[in-house]
PDB file of all heavy atoms in Angstrom:
ATOM      1  N   VAL A   1      69.381 113.715 113.233  1.00 96.00           N
ATOM      2  CA  VAL A   1      69.897 114.340 114.452  1.00 96.00           C
ATOM      3  C   VAL A   1      69.243 115.697 114.657  1.00 96.00           C
ATOM      4  O   VAL A   1      68.851 116.375 113.702  1.00 96.00           O
ATOM      5  CB  VAL A   1      71.434 114.504 114.410  1.00 96.00           C
ATOM      6  CG1 VAL A   1      72.130 113.165 114.319  1.00 96.00           C
ATOM      7  CG2 VAL A   1      71.855 115.409 113.270  1.00 96.00           C
ATOM      8  N   GLU A   2      69.132 116.062 115.900  1.00 95.00           N
ATOM      9  CA  GLU A   2      68.556 117.355 116.274  1.00 95.00           C
ATOM     10  C   GLU A   2      69.655 118.409 116.309  1.00 95.00           C
ATOM     11  O   GLU A   2      70.718 118.192 116.883  1.00 95.00           O
ATOM     12  CB  GLU A   2      67.883 117.238 117.639  1.00 95.00           C
ATOM     13  CG  GLU A   2      66.974 118.390 117.986  1.00 95.00           C
ATOM     14  CD  GLU A   2      66.224 118.131 119.287  1.00 95.00           C
ATOM     15  OE1 GLU A   2      66.859 118.276 120.354  1.00 95.00           O
ATOM     16  OE2 GLU A   2      65.019 117.772 119.230  1.00 95.00           O
ATOM     17  N   VAL A   3      69.411 119.556 115.697  1.00 96.00           N
ATOM     18  CA  VAL A   3      70.411 120.634 115.664  1.00 96.00           C
ATOM     19  C   VAL A   3      69.780 121.937 116.160  1.00 96.00           C
ATOM     20  O   VAL A   3      68.576 122.143 116.010  1.00 96.00           O
ATOM     21  CB  VAL A   3      70.975 120.839 114.238  1.00 96.00           C
ATOM     22  CG1 VAL A   3      71.713 119.593 113.768  1.00 96.00           C
ATOM     23  CG2 VAL A   3      69.873 121.226 113.264  1.00 96.00           C
ATOM     24  N   PRO A   4      70.591 122.810 116.749  1.00 96.00           N
ATOM     25  CA  PRO A   4      70.055 124.090 117.227  1.00 96.00           C
ATOM     26  C   PRO A   4      70.039 125.135 116.112  1.00 96.00           C
ATOM     27  O   PRO A   4      70.913 125.159 115.246  1.00 96.00           O
ATOM     28  CB  PRO A   4      71.049 124.484 118.320  1.00 96.00           C
ATOM     29  CG  PRO A   4      72.355 123.914 117.844  1.00 96.00           C
ATOM     30  CD  PRO A   4      72.014 122.640 117.123  1.00 96.00           C
ATOM     31  N   THR A   5      69.054 125.998 116.126  1.00 96.00           N
ATOM     32  CA  THR A   5      69.010 127.170 115.251  1.00 96.00           C
ATOM     33  C   THR A   5      68.555 128.353 116.114  1.00 96.00           C
ATOM     34  O   THR A   5      68.042 128.162 117.221  1.00 96.00           O
ATOM     35  CB  THR A   5      68.033 127.001 114.070  1.00 96.00           C
ATOM     36  OG1 THR A   5      66.688 127.091 114.548  1.00 96.00           O
ATOM     37  CG2 THR A   5      68.234 125.651 113.384  1.00 96.00           C
ATOM     38  N   ILE A   6      68.723 129.562 115.616  1.00 94.00           N
ATOM     39  CA  ILE A   6      68.284 130.718 116.412  1.00 94.00           C
ATOM     40  C   ILE A   6      66.765 130.833 116.437  1.00 94.00           C
ATOM     41  O   ILE A   6      66.216 131.647 117.175  1.00 94.00           O
ATOM     42  CB  ILE A   6      68.902 132.027 115.888  1.00 94.00           C
ATOM     43  CG1 ILE A   6      68.654 132.197 114.401  1.00 94.00           C
ATOM     44  CG2 ILE A   6      70.373 132.093 116.205  1.00 94.00           C
ATOM     45  CD1 ILE A   6      69.189 133.504 113.854  1.00 94.00           C
ATOM     46  N   ASP A   7      66.084 129.978 115.636  1.00 93.00           N
ATOM     47  CA  ASP A   7      64.613 129.917 115.682  1.00 93.00           C
ATOM     48  C   ASP A   7      64.135 128.851 116.660  1.00 93.00           C
ATOM     49  O   ASP A   7      62.962 128.784 116.970  1.00 93.00           O
ATOM     50  CB  ASP A   7      64.055 129.589 114.288  1.00 93.00           C
ATOM     51  CG  ASP A   7      64.319 130.708 113.301  1.00 93.00           C
ATOM     52  OD1 ASP A   7      63.945 131.850 113.596  1.00 93.00           O
ATOM     53  OD2 ASP A   7      64.916 130.452 112.246  1.00 93.00           O
ATOM     54  N   GLY A   8      65.046 127.996 117.110  1.00 93.00           N
ATOM     55  CA  GLY A   8      64.662 126.875 117.961  1.00 93.00           C
ATOM     56  C   GLY A   8      65.280 125.588 117.455  1.00 93.00           C
ATOM     57  O   GLY A   8      66.269 125.598 116.720  1.00 93.00           O
ATOM     58  N   LYS A   9      64.680 124.459 117.825  1.00 93.00           N
ATOM     59  CA  LYS A   9      65.211 123.160 117.415  1.00 93.00           C
ATOM     60  C   LYS A   9      64.802 122.826 115.984  1.00 93.00           C
ATOM     61  O   LYS A   9      63.753 123.223 115.501  1.00 93.00           O
ATOM     62  CB  LYS A   9      64.691 122.067 118.353  1.00 93.00           C
ATOM     63  CG  LYS A   9      65.145 122.212 119.798  1.00 93.00           C
ATOM     64  CD  LYS A   9      64.533 121.118 120.658  1.00 93.00           C
ATOM     65  CE  LYS A   9      64.941 121.267 122.118  1.00 93.00           C
ATOM     66  NZ  LYS A   9      64.326 120.216 122.971  1.00 93.00           N
ATOM     67  N   SER A  10      65.684 122.064 115.322  1.00 94.00           N
ATOM     68  CA  SER A  10      65.403 121.589 113.973  1.00 94.00           C
ATOM     69  C   SER A  10      66.075 120.234 113.805  1.00 94.00           C
ATOM     70  O   SER A  10      66.912 119.839 114.628  1.00 94.00           O
ATOM     71  CB  SER A  10      65.939 122.574 112.934  1.00 94.00           C
ATOM     72  OG  SER A  10      65.555 122.191 111.633  1.00 94.00           O
ATOM     73  N   LYS A  11      65.707 119.497 112.775  1.00 95.00           N
ATOM     74  CA  LYS A  11      66.298 118.179 112.537  1.00 95.00           C
ATOM     75  C   LYS A  11      66.864 118.102 111.123  1.00 95.00           C
ATOM     76  O   LYS A  11      66.309 118.693 110.188  1.00 95.00           O
ATOM     77  CB  LYS A  11      65.254 117.074 112.741  1.00 95.00           C
ATOM     78  CG  LYS A  11      64.839 116.877 114.196  1.00 95.00           C
ATOM     79  CD  LYS A  11      63.880 115.704 114.345  1.00 95.00           C
ATOM     80  CE  LYS A  11      63.526 115.478 115.801  1.00 95.00           C
ATOM     81  NZ  LYS A  11      62.600 114.322 115.977  1.00 95.00           N
ATOM     82  N   ILE A  12      67.983 117.408 110.995  1.00 96.00           N
ATOM     83  CA  ILE A  12      68.563 117.169 109.674  1.00 96.00           C
ATOM     84  C   ILE A  12      68.816 115.679 109.511  1.00 96.00           C
ATOM     85  O   ILE A  12      69.048 114.956 110.500  1.00 96.00           O
ATOM     86  CB  ILE A  12      69.881 117.948 109.468  1.00 96.00           C
ATOM     87  CG1 ILE A  12      70.937 117.532 110.505  1.00 96.00           C
ATOM     88  CG2 ILE A  12      69.646 119.445 109.513  1.00 96.00           C
ATOM     89  CD1 ILE A  12      72.304 118.138 110.245  1.00 96.00           C
ATOM     90  N   LYS A  13      68.769 115.210 108.274  1.00 96.00           N
ATOM     91  CA  LYS A  13      69.020 113.805 107.980  1.00 96.00           C
ATOM     92  C   LYS A  13      70.501 113.602 107.683  1.00 96.00           C
ATOM     93  O   LYS A  13      71.078 114.314 106.864  1.00 96.00           O
ATOM     94  CB  LYS A  13      68.180 113.350 106.795  1.00 96.00           C
ATOM     95  CG  LYS A  13      66.701 113.226 107.117  1.00 96.00           C
ATOM     96  CD  LYS A  13      65.911 112.656 105.940  1.00 96.00           C
ATOM     97  CE  LYS A  13      64.437 112.487 106.298  1.00 96.00           C
ATOM     98  NZ  LYS A  13      63.661 111.906 105.161  1.00 96.00           N
ATOM     99  N   ILE A  14      71.096 112.649 108.353  1.00 96.00           N
ATOM    100  CA  ILE A  14      72.503 112.311 108.140  1.00 96.00           C
ATOM    101  C   ILE A  14      72.552 111.108 107.191  1.00 96.00           C
ATOM    102  O   ILE A  14      72.088 110.009 107.542  1.00 96.00           O
ATOM    103  CB  ILE A  14      73.206 111.959 109.463  1.00 96.00           C
ATOM    104  CG1 ILE A  14      73.073 113.107 110.471  1.00 96.00           C
ATOM    105  CG2 ILE A  14      74.669 111.620 109.211  1.00 96.00           C
ATOM    106  CD1 ILE A  14      73.714 114.389 110.062  1.00 96.00           C
ATOM    107  N   PRO A  15      73.102 111.305 105.992  1.00 96.00           N
ATOM    108  CA  PRO A  15      73.170 110.176 105.049  1.00 96.00           C
ATOM    109  C   PRO A  15      74.107 109.071 105.566  1.00 96.00           C
ATOM    110  O   PRO A  15      75.026 109.330 106.340  1.00 96.00           O
ATOM    111  CB  PRO A  15      73.732 110.819 103.775  1.00 96.00           C
ATOM    112  CG  PRO A  15      73.535 112.286 103.947  1.00 96.00           C
ATOM    113  CD  PRO A  15      73.632 112.541 105.408  1.00 96.00           C
ATOM    114  N   GLU A  16      73.876 107.872 105.108  1.00 94.00           N
ATOM    115  CA  GLU A  16      74.754 106.749 105.447  1.00 94.00           C
ATOM    116  C   GLU A  16      76.164 107.020 104.923  1.00 94.00           C
ATOM    117  O   GLU A  16      76.344 107.483 103.803  1.00 94.00           O
ATOM    118  CB  GLU A  16      74.197 105.472 104.804  1.00 94.00           C
ATOM    119  CG  GLU A  16      75.000 104.226 105.097  1.00 94.00           C
ATOM    120  CD  GLU A  16      74.403 103.004 104.430  1.00 94.00           C
ATOM    121  OE1 GLU A  16      73.150 102.895 104.395  1.00 94.00           O
ATOM    122  OE2 GLU A  16      75.171 102.158 103.928  1.00 94.00           O
ATOM    123  N   GLY A  17      77.180 106.778 105.764  1.00 93.00           N
ATOM    124  CA  GLY A  17      78.568 106.981 105.355  1.00 93.00           C
ATOM    125  C   GLY A  17      79.011 108.441 105.388  1.00 93.00           C
ATOM    126  O   GLY A  17      79.948 108.826 104.675  1.00 93.00           O
ATOM    127  N   THR A  18      78.383 109.261 106.201  1.00 95.00           N
ATOM    128  CA  THR A  18      78.766 110.679 106.313  1.00 95.00           C
ATOM    129  C   THR A  18      80.170 110.822 106.897  1.00 95.00           C
ATOM    130  O   THR A  18      80.491 110.201 107.915  1.00 95.00           O
ATOM    131  CB  THR A  18      77.762 111.452 107.190  1.00 95.00           C
ATOM    132  OG1 THR A  18      76.499 111.494 106.521  1.00 95.00           O
ATOM    133  CG2 THR A  18      78.240 112.876 107.462  1.00 95.00           C
ATOM    134  N   GLN A  19      80.999 111.606 106.252  1.00 94.00           N
ATOM    135  CA  GLN A  19      82.383 111.797 106.696  1.00 94.00           C
ATOM    136  C   GLN A  19      82.507 113.021 107.606  1.00 94.00           C
ATOM    137  O   GLN A  19      81.662 113.921 107.598  1.00 94.00           O
ATOM    138  CB  GLN A  19      83.309 111.970 105.486  1.00 94.00           C
ATOM    139  CG  GLN A  19      83.281 110.808 104.519  1.00 94.00           C
ATOM    140  CD  GLN A  19      83.761 109.517 105.158  1.00 94.00           C
ATOM    141  OE1 GLN A  19      84.789 109.490 105.841  1.00 94.00           O
ATOM    142  NE2 GLN A  19      83.017 108.433 104.941  1.00 94.00           N
ATOM    143  N   ASN A  20      83.582 113.028 108.376  1.00 95.00           N
ATOM    144  CA  ASN A  20      83.869 114.166 109.247  1.00 95.00           C
ATOM    145  C   ASN A  20      84.073 115.430 108.391  1.00 95.00           C
ATOM    146  O   ASN A  20      84.756 115.402 107.372  1.00 95.00           O
ATOM    147  CB  ASN A  20      85.137 113.892 110.060  1.00 95.00           C
ATOM    148  CG  ASN A  20      85.393 114.976 111.091  1.00 95.00           C
ATOM    149  OD1 ASN A  20      84.589 115.195 111.976  1.00 95.00           O
ATOM    150  ND2 ASN A  20      86.528 115.642 110.978  1.00 95.00           N
ATOM    151  N   GLY A  21      83.459 116.547 108.814  1.00 96.00           N
ATOM    152  CA  GLY A  21      83.587 117.797 108.062  1.00 96.00           C
ATOM    153  C   GLY A  21      82.491 118.029 107.041  1.00 96.00           C
ATOM    154  O   GLY A  21      82.491 119.064 106.364  1.00 96.00           O
ATOM    155  N   LYS A  22      81.569 117.090 106.916  1.00 96.00           N
ATOM    156  CA  LYS A  22      80.446 117.256 105.996  1.00 96.00           C
ATOM    157  C   LYS A  22      79.671 118.513 106.369  1.00 96.00           C
ATOM    158  O   LYS A  22      79.415 118.795 107.534  1.00 96.00           O
ATOM    159  CB  LYS A  22      79.524 116.032 106.078  1.00 96.00           C
ATOM    160  CG  LYS A  22      78.239 116.119 105.282  1.00 96.00           C
ATOM    161  CD  LYS A  22      78.466 116.012 103.789  1.00 96.00           C
ATOM    162  CE  LYS A  22      77.131 115.969 103.046  1.00 96.00           C
ATOM    163  NZ  LYS A  22      77.326 115.918 101.571  1.00 96.00           N
ATOM    164  N   VAL A  23      79.293 119.318 105.356  1.00 97.00           N
ATOM    165  CA  VAL A  23      78.623 120.591 105.594  1.00 97.00           C
ATOM    166  C   VAL A  23      77.177 120.539 105.108  1.00 97.00           C
ATOM    167  O   VAL A  23      76.897 120.065 104.012  1.00 97.00           O
ATOM    168  CB  VAL A  23      79.372 121.742 104.885  1.00 97.00           C
ATOM    169  CG1 VAL A  23      78.588 123.052 105.014  1.00 97.00           C
ATOM    170  CG2 VAL A  23      80.764 121.916 105.476  1.00 97.00           C
ATOM    171  N   PHE A  24      76.288 121.043 105.943  1.00 97.00           N
ATOM    172  CA  PHE A  24      74.875 121.179 105.595  1.00 97.00           C
ATOM    173  C   PHE A  24      74.498 122.661 105.683  1.00 97.00           C
ATOM    174  O   PHE A  24      74.939 123.366 106.589  1.00 97.00           O
ATOM    175  CB  PHE A  24      73.988 120.375 106.552  1.00 97.00           C
ATOM    176  CG  PHE A  24      74.201 118.889 106.474  1.00 97.00           C
ATOM    177  CD1 PHE A  24      75.200 118.277 107.213  1.00 97.00           C
ATOM    178  CD2 PHE A  24      73.394 118.102 105.661  1.00 97.00           C
ATOM    179  CE1 PHE A  24      75.393 116.902 107.148  1.00 97.00           C
ATOM    180  CE2 PHE A  24      73.582 116.726 105.587  1.00 97.00           C
ATOM    181  CZ  PHE A  24      74.593 116.124 106.326  1.00 97.00           C
ATOM    182  N   ARG A  25      73.679 123.115 104.769  1.00 97.00           N
ATOM    183  CA  ARG A  25      73.213 124.505 104.779  1.00 97.00           C
ATOM    184  C   ARG A  25      71.707 124.548 105.035  1.00 97.00           C
ATOM    185  O   ARG A  25      70.923 123.955 104.285  1.00 97.00           O
ATOM    186  CB  ARG A  25      73.523 125.190 103.454  1.00 97.00           C
ATOM    187  CG  ARG A  25      73.037 126.643 103.378  1.00 97.00           C
ATOM    188  CD  ARG A  25      73.289 127.232 101.993  1.00 97.00           C
ATOM    189  NE  ARG A  25      74.708 127.445 101.772  1.00 97.00           N
ATOM    190  CZ  ARG A  25      75.361 128.560 102.084  1.00 97.00           C
ATOM    191  NH1 ARG A  25      74.712 129.570 102.650  1.00 97.00           N
ATOM    192  NH2 ARG A  25      76.645 128.671 101.829  1.00 97.00           N
ATOM    193  N   LEU A  26      71.332 125.267 106.090  1.00 96.00           N
ATOM    194  CA  LEU A  26      69.923 125.481 106.383  1.00 96.00           C
ATOM    195  C   LEU A  26      69.572 126.903 105.938  1.00 96.00           C
ATOM    196  O   LEU A  26      69.965 127.886 106.572  1.00 96.00           O
ATOM    197  CB  LEU A  26      69.637 125.310 107.882  1.00 96.00           C
ATOM    198  CG  LEU A  26      70.029 123.966 108.507  1.00 96.00           C
ATOM    199  CD1 LEU A  26      69.616 123.942 109.970  1.00 96.00           C
ATOM    200  CD2 LEU A  26      69.383 122.807 107.754  1.00 96.00           C
ATOM    201  N   ARG A  27      68.862 127.007 104.860  1.00 95.00           N
ATOM    202  CA  ARG A  27      68.541 128.326 104.309  1.00 95.00           C
ATOM    203  C   ARG A  27      67.502 129.054 105.171  1.00 95.00           C
ATOM    204  O   ARG A  27      66.659 128.430 105.801  1.00 95.00           O
ATOM    205  CB  ARG A  27      68.048 128.193 102.872  1.00 95.00           C
ATOM    206  CG  ARG A  27      69.099 127.565 101.959  1.00 95.00           C
ATOM    207  CD  ARG A  27      68.703 127.619 100.499  1.00 95.00           C
ATOM    208  NE  ARG A  27      69.710 126.980  99.657  1.00 95.00           N
ATOM    209  CZ  ARG A  27      70.846 127.553  99.275  1.00 95.00           C
ATOM    210  NH1 ARG A  27      71.097 128.797  99.642  1.00 95.00           N
ATOM    211  NH2 ARG A  27      71.704 126.889  98.509  1.00 95.00           N
ATOM    212  N   GLU A  28      67.622 130.398 105.154  1.00 94.00           N
ATOM    213  CA  GLU A  28      66.701 131.253 105.913  1.00 94.00           C
ATOM    214  C   GLU A  28      66.749 130.978 107.418  1.00 94.00           C
ATOM    215  O   GLU A  28      65.751 131.127 108.126  1.00 94.00           O
ATOM    216  CB  GLU A  28      65.255 131.071 105.409  1.00 94.00           C
ATOM    217  CG  GLU A  28      65.067 131.395 103.946  1.00 94.00           C
ATOM    218  CD  GLU A  28      65.268 132.879 103.645  1.00 94.00           C
ATOM    219  OE1 GLU A  28      64.804 133.713 104.428  1.00 94.00           O
ATOM    220  OE2 GLU A  28      65.906 133.183 102.614  1.00 94.00           O
ATOM    221  N   LYS A  29      67.916 130.583 107.916  1.00 95.00           N
ATOM    222  CA  LYS A  29      68.079 130.336 109.349  1.00 95.00           C
ATOM    223  C   LYS A  29      69.204 131.206 109.932  1.00 95.00           C
ATOM    224  O   LYS A  29      69.660 130.952 111.048  1.00 95.00           O
ATOM    225  CB  LYS A  29      68.384 128.859 109.614  1.00 95.00           C
ATOM    226  CG  LYS A  29      67.248 127.901 109.291  1.00 95.00           C
ATOM    227  CD  LYS A  29      66.071 128.113 110.227  1.00 95.00           C
ATOM    228  CE  LYS A  29      64.963 127.095 109.947  1.00 95.00           C
ATOM    229  NZ  LYS A  29      63.797 127.316 110.846  1.00 95.00           N
ATOM    230  N   GLY A  30      69.637 132.208 109.183  1.00 95.00           N
ATOM    231  CA  GLY A  30      70.718 133.059 109.650  1.00 95.00           C
ATOM    232  C   GLY A  30      70.231 134.408 110.147  1.00 95.00           C
ATOM    233  O   GLY A  30      69.137 134.535 110.706  1.00 95.00           O
ATOM    234  N   ILE A  31      71.064 135.444 109.920  1.00 95.00           N
ATOM    235  CA  ILE A  31      70.769 136.804 110.376  1.00 95.00           C
ATOM    236  C   ILE A  31      69.971 137.556 109.317  1.00 95.00           C
ATOM    237  O   ILE A  31      70.261 137.472 108.123  1.00 95.00           O
ATOM    238  CB  ILE A  31      72.077 137.580 110.659  1.00 95.00           C
ATOM    239  CG1 ILE A  31      72.950 136.814 111.657  1.00 95.00           C
ATOM    240  CG2 ILE A  31      71.768 138.979 111.168  1.00 95.00           C
ATOM    241  CD1 ILE A  31      72.358 136.671 113.029  1.00 95.00           C
ATOM    242  N   THR A  32      68.958 138.293 109.771  1.00 91.00           N
ATOM    243  CA  THR A  32      68.158 139.109 108.861  1.00 91.00           C
ATOM    244  C   THR A  32      68.782 140.498 108.737  1.00 91.00           C
ATOM    245  O   THR A  32      69.125 141.123 109.733  1.00 91.00           O
ATOM    246  CB  THR A  32      66.721 139.240 109.375  1.00 91.00           C
ATOM    247  OG1 THR A  32      66.142 137.938 109.499  1.00 91.00           O
ATOM    248  CG2 THR A  32      65.875 140.077 108.418  1.00 91.00           C
ATOM    249  N   GLN A  33      68.929 140.962 107.509  1.00 87.00           N
ATOM    250  CA  GLN A  33      69.461 142.302 107.281  1.00 87.00           C
ATOM    251  C   GLN A  33      68.926 142.825 105.957  1.00 87.00           C
ATOM    252  O   GLN A  33      69.007 142.142 104.934  1.00 87.00           O
ATOM    253  CB  GLN A  33      70.991 142.295 107.268  1.00 87.00           C
ATOM    254  CG  GLN A  33      71.601 143.684 107.291  1.00 87.00           C
ATOM    255  CD  GLN A  33      73.112 143.633 107.398  1.00 87.00           C
ATOM    256  OE1 GLN A  33      73.768 142.959 106.617  1.00 87.00           O
ATOM    257  NE2 GLN A  33      73.665 144.355 108.359  1.00 87.00           N
ATOM    258  N   SER A  34      68.381 144.034 106.003  1.00 83.00           N
ATOM    259  CA  SER A  34      67.819 144.677 104.803  1.00 83.00           C
ATOM    260  C   SER A  34      66.797 143.783 104.111  1.00 83.00           C
ATOM    261  O   SER A  34      66.742 143.703 102.881  1.00 83.00           O
ATOM    262  CB  SER A  34      68.940 145.048 103.826  1.00 83.00           C
ATOM    263  OG  SER A  34      69.865 145.914 104.447  1.00 83.00           O
ATOM    264  N   GLY A  35      65.984 143.098 104.909  1.00 85.00           N
ATOM    265  CA  GLY A  35      64.918 142.272 104.346  1.00 85.00           C
ATOM    266  C   GLY A  35      65.354 140.908 103.876  1.00 85.00           C
ATOM    267  O   GLY A  35      64.522 140.098 103.458  1.00 85.00           O
ATOM    268  N   ARG A  36      66.657 140.633 103.915  1.00 91.00           N
ATOM    269  CA  ARG A  36      67.151 139.326 103.486  1.00 91.00           C
ATOM    270  C   ARG A  36      67.732 138.565 104.677  1.00 91.00           C
ATOM    271  O   ARG A  36      68.325 139.169 105.565  1.00 91.00           O
ATOM    272  CB  ARG A  36      68.217 139.478 102.408  1.00 91.00           C
ATOM    273  CG  ARG A  36      67.704 140.095 101.116  1.00 91.00           C
ATOM    274  CD  ARG A  36      68.790 140.156 100.069  1.00 91.00           C
ATOM    275  NE  ARG A  36      68.311 140.713  98.812  1.00 91.00           N
ATOM    276  CZ  ARG A  36      69.058 140.865  97.728  1.00 91.00           C
ATOM    277  NH1 ARG A  36      70.347 140.495  97.759  1.00 91.00           N
ATOM    278  NH2 ARG A  36      68.559 141.375  96.629  1.00 91.00           N
ATOM    279  N   ARG A  37      67.569 137.260 104.619  1.00 93.00           N
ATOM    280  CA  ARG A  37      68.061 136.447 105.732  1.00 93.00           C
ATOM    281  C   ARG A  37      69.108 135.448 105.250  1.00 93.00           C
ATOM    282  O   ARG A  37      68.969 134.825 104.200  1.00 93.00           O
ATOM    283  CB  ARG A  37      66.904 135.696 106.392  1.00 93.00           C
ATOM    284  CG  ARG A  37      67.296 135.074 107.718  1.00 93.00           C
ATOM    285  CD  ARG A  37      66.108 134.536 108.469  1.00 93.00           C
ATOM    286  NE  ARG A  37      66.544 133.956 109.735  1.00 93.00           N
ATOM    287  CZ  ARG A  37      65.769 133.270 110.552  1.00 93.00           C
ATOM    288  NH1 ARG A  37      64.497 133.073 110.240  1.00 93.00           N
ATOM    289  NH2 ARG A  37      66.242 132.767 111.683  1.00 93.00           N
ATOM    290  N   GLY A  38      70.171 135.344 106.043  1.00 95.00           N
ATOM    291  CA  GLY A  38      71.242 134.426 105.699  1.00 95.00           C
ATOM    292  C   GLY A  38      70.914 132.985 106.058  1.00 95.00           C
ATOM    293  O   GLY A  38      69.773 132.645 106.385  1.00 95.00           O
ATOM    294  N   SER A  39      71.943 132.146 106.006  1.00 96.00           N
ATOM    295  CA  SER A  39      71.771 130.709 106.264  1.00 96.00           C
ATOM    296  C   SER A  39      72.509 130.299 107.529  1.00 96.00           C
ATOM    297  O   SER A  39      73.356 131.024 108.045  1.00 96.00           O
ATOM    298  CB  SER A  39      72.315 129.898 105.079  1.00 96.00           C
ATOM    299  OG  SER A  39      71.675 130.244 103.871  1.00 96.00           O
ATOM    300  N   GLU A  40      72.160 129.114 107.996  1.00 97.00           N
ATOM    301  CA  GLU A  40      72.940 128.494 109.063  1.00 97.00           C
ATOM    302  C   GLU A  40      73.776 127.386 108.426  1.00 97.00           C
ATOM    303  O   GLU A  40      73.239 126.517 107.725  1.00 97.00           O
ATOM    304  CB  GLU A  40      72.048 127.914 110.159  1.00 97.00           C
ATOM    305  CG  GLU A  40      72.851 127.230 111.259  1.00 97.00           C
ATOM    306  CD  GLU A  40      72.003 126.736 112.419  1.00 97.00           C
ATOM    307  OE1 GLU A  40      70.877 127.247 112.603  1.00 97.00           O
ATOM    308  OE2 GLU A  40      72.464 125.819 113.134  1.00 97.00           O
ATOM    309  N   ILE A  41      75.087 127.454 108.636  1.00 97.00           N
ATOM    310  CA  ILE A  41      76.001 126.470 108.073  1.00 97.00           C
ATOM    311  C   ILE A  41      76.396 125.491 109.182  1.00 97.00           C
ATOM    312  O   ILE A  41      77.007 125.878 110.173  1.00 97.00           O
ATOM    313  CB  ILE A  41      77.269 127.139 107.499  1.00 97.00           C
ATOM    314  CG1 ILE A  41      76.886 128.333 106.613  1.00 97.00           C
ATOM    315  CG2 ILE A  41      78.107 126.123 106.749  1.00 97.00           C
ATOM    316  CD1 ILE A  41      76.040 127.988 105.429  1.00 97.00           C
TER     317      ILE A  41
END
């Protein structure tokens, strides 16, 4: 599936049998502060 990020579009793989509330972490897709960048959850 295609998901939005603040960098633009990205894609993630949905495993077979994914349940509601499943969480994926996209590293280095969050807010940059003091040289470090957070994640998109």
Side-chain angles (χ1 to χ4, degrees):
V1 298
E2 194 174 77
V3 297
T5 73
I6 53 177
D7 294 306
K9 296 178 182 179
S10 186
K11 290 184 177 181
I12 60 173
K13 288 185 178 181
I14 304 297
E16 181 180 321
T18 294
Q19 302 298 314
N20 186 61
K22 174 72 175 178
V23 174
F24 295 86
R25 179 184 289 271
L26 303 183
R27 299 189 182 280
E28 301 293 319
K29 293 293 183 181
I31 305 295
T32 301
Q33 191 175 52
S34 302
R36 296 183 179 181
R37 192 171 180 188
S39 302
E40 178 176 339
I41 312 299

